[in-house]
Amino acid sequence: MSFSETFRDSALRSSRVLQRFASLLRPQSGPALEMMAAEAEQLTRQNFGRTMRLFAPLYLSNECVNICKYCGFSRDNPILRVTLAVDQVEAEARHLHAQGFRNILLVAGEHPKFVSGDYLARCIERLRTFVPAISLEVGPMETAEYEPTVRAGAEGLVVYQETYDRAVYAELHTAGPKKDFDWRLDCPERAYAAGFRRLGIGALFGLAPWEEEAMSLAAHVDYLLRHCWKASVTVSLPRLRPAAGQFQPRHDFSDRALVQVILALRLCFPQVGIVLSTRETAELRDRLVRLGVTMMSAGSHTEPGGYTGAGSESVHQTQKGKAIPVIASEGEHLLATEQFSIADERSPSVMAARLRELGLEPVWKDWDAALAAH
Amino acid sequence: MTGLTIAGRTFGSRLLVGTGKFASNQAMAECLEASGTEIVTVALRRADLSGQDDPYADILNFIDPKKYLLLPNTSGAMNAAEAVRLARLAAAAGLPKWVKLEIHPDPRYLLPDPIETLAAAEILVKEGFVVMPYINADPVLAKRLQDVGTATVMPLGSPIGSNRGLETRGQLEIIIEQATVPVIIDAGLGAPSHAAAALELGADGVLINTALAAARDPARMARAFRDAVEAGRTAWEVGLGAPSRTANPTSPLTGFLS
């Protein structure tokens, strides 16, 4: 039974681990939260050691056919868009490699014309000669469409459900293939069937009440651990950030609530990775590294070409699938628009030094391409 | 304490140490020193195998090959083909032609796949590797691996990193009783007393990682494990008395009759 079917039947969501998760989400006193934190810290060190895995996102394209009210890339936003050529993707990846990254997440908006499976496979094949670990965060595909990207050398797939609330989802996703809630919900299973070894899921907090999102996310983790038993599962808890379109969060998700969800995830799923992006501030990130987080990005850019300026000569607007040229005024250097603005702007080397100060070894390479050679 | 001989090479220490999870490579190096170990295992996925001396994957630079046998492990491999490929790559990169064969398809409990492990062991032994397979505490599998020519067997006490100790004790006793190669207890040993108990049982060695790396002071914890291993081995060599349900007085009441 797929997760979308399981998810419809609340009786199937009452496993013991989920009952415990629910109890940990209830309001906790300060001392109770502190006890959860101590146990979470101990479990994280036991399972992941005194280490922190580092990765970087590399945006390939900000073209998108979907309308998502909260997203900067939404097709109705008149932003500057570009899809990097494979050579430009390589230039961006070489920049990240020189900074130390050996684990790169390729990100793109959903646009079959600009971001085809074939294009992704060519990007991966180019990068795999010098990047040991490559993951994808792109529009959901069929299992058979994923297979060439796995053969090309991708080993991880990330897809966030955004919100697990069907009504809110329908209201916020008004056009494009992303409208189909179940299609997206079952994406990690299709990716697993195609041979991906690392599956990343998450919810975009701020769209629906956080307690409900967290419960659904935990149910999804529980399902994936049972059904996709060979995959490493990671969870991400992104909070809405300022972006084109000026969408405002509808529900509060405080630092305290974020911490409580991270701790509850760690206590219920000790071996599941927890990912923390540069959406959060440096001050908060330095605190969260001790509370269950196992993987971080650093120095991120959320626009294609953001690291090196690659592709700036091809920046345009897109209307009805057609590129409309944008004329730069003299001396002006156009860059594609970012998906959202980041909050922690520390460079990778500064972040690594800070992790060492906090008693953690930054781990850049945790995977070898030889493992997934096809 | 007598030495441990594997594939014709004798080591003074019966404590093998893993290198994952340390707070820094420096802390790891100090821990190795304090442990007295002579065999150190490294996950190949964390090392640079391209020969380019990658400063962002430089764990091997912290393990002195003159002091330690560097034992590459195949952690991360999910099947025999992947493990074999990794072992060959390591050998091609100039690492010792020894391999700690680990194939665990389930990333949650990291339990080893017996079918893939046997298949990979057969191939690697034929290619001349010294093969040290990580296995569940399954006596028949242990014998099958010895039949294909592995240099040791490395059954688990409990899941990797779990600190639960010798949960598989009954099966381990059978493996040790039937062994024709050294038996090294590989996983789950969280306290020096677990290590001592393994050696008292007749195991030839233990491999410790999480209990050291996650400790507040890895080097001091390494010293504690070193002492425990030596104590356990010495007790086994001397021979422990059999347990008895009743008390046995140290000055027997009928001693005067003899």
Side-chain angles (χ1 to χ4, degrees), chain A residues 172-198:
Chain A
L172 295 175
H173 303 92
T174 54
K178 196 168 171 179
K179 277 172 75 175
D180 188 339
F181 182 90
D182 286 347
W183 163 253
R184 192 171 188 85
L185 201 58
D186 293 334
C187 181
E189 293 153 63
R190 294 196 301 274
Y192 178 69
F196 283 103
R197 299 167 178 249
R198 304 196 196 204

Side-chain angles (χ1 to χ4, degrees), chain A residues 233-250:
Chain A
V233 176
T234 59
V235 179
S236 190
L237 308 163
R239 295 195 282 190
L240 270 169
R241 291 284 306 156
Q246 311 305 323
F247 182 88
Q248 293 304 311
R250 295 181 174 183

Side-chain angles (χ1 to χ4, degrees), chain B residues 184-256:
Chain B
I184 294 161
I185 313 298
D186 188 353
L189 306 184
S193 58
H194 297 156
L199 275 294
E200 286 169 11
L201 209 62
D204 298 280
V206 292
L207 190 147
I208 310 289
N209 186 347
T210 301
L212 305 181
R216 215 175 9 238
D217 185 339
R220 280 190 76 199
M221 189 59 88
R223 180 74 228 187
F225 269 91
R226 176 186 188 161
D227 292 346
V229 166
E230 287 177 9
R233 178 65 186 186
T234 304
W236 183 82
E237 286 174 4
V238 172
L240 290 164
S244 157
R245 203 174 60 79
T246 55
N248 288 304
T250 43
S251 306
L253 295 173
T254 54
F256 69 95

Side-chain angles (χ1 to χ4, degrees), chain A residues 2 71 85 89 102 120 147 156 169 177 186-187 225 227 261 264 284-285 312 322 326 329 341 363:
Chain A
S2 67
C71 180
V89 174
R102 302 290 179 267
L120 290 172
E147 282 166 353
Y169 189 95
D186 293 334
C187 181
L225 292 176
H227 290 80
V261 174
L284 185 62
R285 276 170 35 112
S312 62
K322 292 209 174 71
V326 178
S329 46
S341 53
V363 173

Side-chain angles (χ1 to χ4, degrees), chain A residues 54 72-73 79 96 112 153 197 209 224 247 259 283 285 308 311 335 337 343 364:
Chain A
L54 294 173
F73 292 171
I79 61 165
L96 293 171
R197 299 167 178 249
L224 291 177
F247 182 88
V259 166
E283 296 73 30
R285 276 170 35 112
T308 63
L335 264 184
T337 310
W364 304 90

